[in-house]
Amino acid sequence: MKTGRRTVAAATLVGALGLSVLNAPAAQAADTGITVSDIVINNGKPIVVGTSKEVEPPISFNIALPSGYSTSDPSRYDAYPFLYRGTIKTAADTGENFIQPGSYTCYETDSKHAHCEGNLYIDPHPSQEHVDSNSDATTWKVGVSLRLWKADGGLKTGELETRSATVQLKRAAKATTNATPEPVTKGKPITVTGKLTRANWSTKKYDAYSGRTVSLQFRAKGTDTFKTVKKATTGSTGGLKTTVTASVDGSYRWVYYGNSTTGVATSAADYVDVR
């Protein structure tokens, strides 16, 4: 349960930089005195992005304000974390290799402190240029934007701060499964095929993912747990094929556990009736 008064709500419009990088503070600007701490992005997990669906990884962080500023007047300050590649100034100045919050809300804990929660916003659509190259599947750095505003609404000062934390962005993968024949006689072979593909951020399509080791898992009827029974390597078209001996009714699926640039893929399960 959240406690304290809601103090700040900042939101972007879909397809726009709501906290515009065109107005981002220069990296060499004067110290604002704002402290942002305890930044958590996507619960500490990699962020996996496909070819079309918008992704909004959760973020949380704490804010401490300098003398002369209070959480009771949120129009006088803003502070938020973001992801970037390359140099922080270039990313903020150009908006390239720059991923910021889609929205966040801060809750007052006292007159100088607030706890904030929200989401980053990543849209793989080509017009957004958030992930427009497969080279974006890599380690991104965490930065913080800090700004103080005058009573008349003018910018007093702003700064960009780097953080030691990093976040991994990964290309989404997909897997399929088909087990035949259905039904099958006990003791006879079952052929399990499938295909592994992964997102190509340059073309916005899913391409065959060859040379990957993928686990075939089985869950017996009436049980809750899948267990790995075999492994296979994808061919040049991403195809998978192996055989197992029919013993009991149950479901088969392929699972790819991912790597440093690619997310986990788990196929839908295919049920086989053994007679």
Side-chain angles (χ1 to χ4, degrees):
M1 177 182 295
K2 302 179 181 71
T3 60
R5 181 175 54 190
R6 178 179 296 188
T7 63
V8 177
T12 62
L13 298 175
V14 174
L17 293 175
L19 298 171
S20 175
V21 295
L22 299 177
N23 297 317
Q28 296 83 10
D31 182 11
T32 61
I34 303 173
T35 300
V36 172
S37 61
D38 302 311
I39 300 170
V40 179
I41 297 176
N42 202 36
N43 299 313
K45 300 176 181 179
I47 299 171
V48 180
V49 182
T51 60
S52 59
K53 184 179 180 180
E54 298 166 5
V55 178
E56 298 182 276
I59 59 172
S60 64
F61 54 99
N62 293 326
I63 294 176
L65 298 178
S67 175
Y69 289 81
S70 170
T71 54
S72 64
D73 189 2
S75 64
R76 298 287 308 282
Y77 67 91
D78 68 52
Y80 60 89
F82 59 86
L83 303 182
Y84 70 99
R85 291 180 59 202
T87 67
I88 193 170
K89 186 178 187 304
T90 299
D93 285 349
T94 65
E96 296 179 2
N97 299 316
F98 184 93
I99 297 172
Q100 67 176 358
S103 63
Y104 67 91
T105 301
C106 295
Y107 299 87
E108 177 185 39
T109 55
D110 61 40
S111 63
K112 292 294 183 182
H113 300 86
H115 175 71
C116 307
E117 299 175 356
N119 302 86
L120 294 177
Y121 177 74
I122 304 173
D123 185 353
H125 191 277
S127 66
Q128 299 305 305
E129 299 184 347
H130 290 169
V131 286
D132 56 1
S133 168
N134 293 327
S135 63
D136 290 331
T138 187
T139 301
W140 288 61
K141 293 172 280 190
V142 176
V144 177
S145 173
L146 309 167
R147 288 184 288 192
L148 294 176
W149 304 93
K150 300 175 182 177
D152 62 7
L155 179 66
K156 179 179 180 180
T157 188
E159 60 179 324
L160 298 171
E161 291 184 348
T162 59
R163 291 289 191 269
S164 60
T166 58
V167 175
Q168 196 75 19
L169 256 63
K170 295 186 177 186
R171 296 157 66 181
K174 295 180 179 180
T176 61
T177 299
N178 185 35
T180 58
E182 301 176 54
V184 64
T185 302
K186 185 175 182 178
K188 295 295 185 179
I190 297 172
T191 300
V192 186
T193 59
K195 187 172 184 178
L196 181 67
T197 58
R198 69 167 171 170
N200 184 326
W201 289 340
S202 297
T203 64
K204 305 306 179 185
K205 298 178 180 179
Y206 277 81
D207 296 338
Y209 199 16
S210 63
R212 300 296 103 188
T213 299
V214 185
S215 298
L216 177 65
Q217 296 187 337
F218 176 72
R219 181 182 65 195
K221 180 181 179 180
T223 65
D224 298 325
T225 305
F226 277 94
K227 296 181 179 180
T228 298
V229 294
K230 266 193 171 182
K231 293 184 179 182
T233 302
T234 55
S236 59
T237 62
L240 290 158
K241 184 176 182 179
T242 192
T243 59
V244 293
T245 301
S247 57
V248 297
D249 295 353
S251 301
Y252 293 89
R253 71 181 186 183
W254 289 106
V255 178
Y256 175 60
Y257 287 101
N259 55 33
S260 62
T261 62
T262 309
V264 173
T266 301
S267 74
D270 191 9
Y271 182 81
V272 177
D273 179 18
V274 178
R275 297 179 178 179

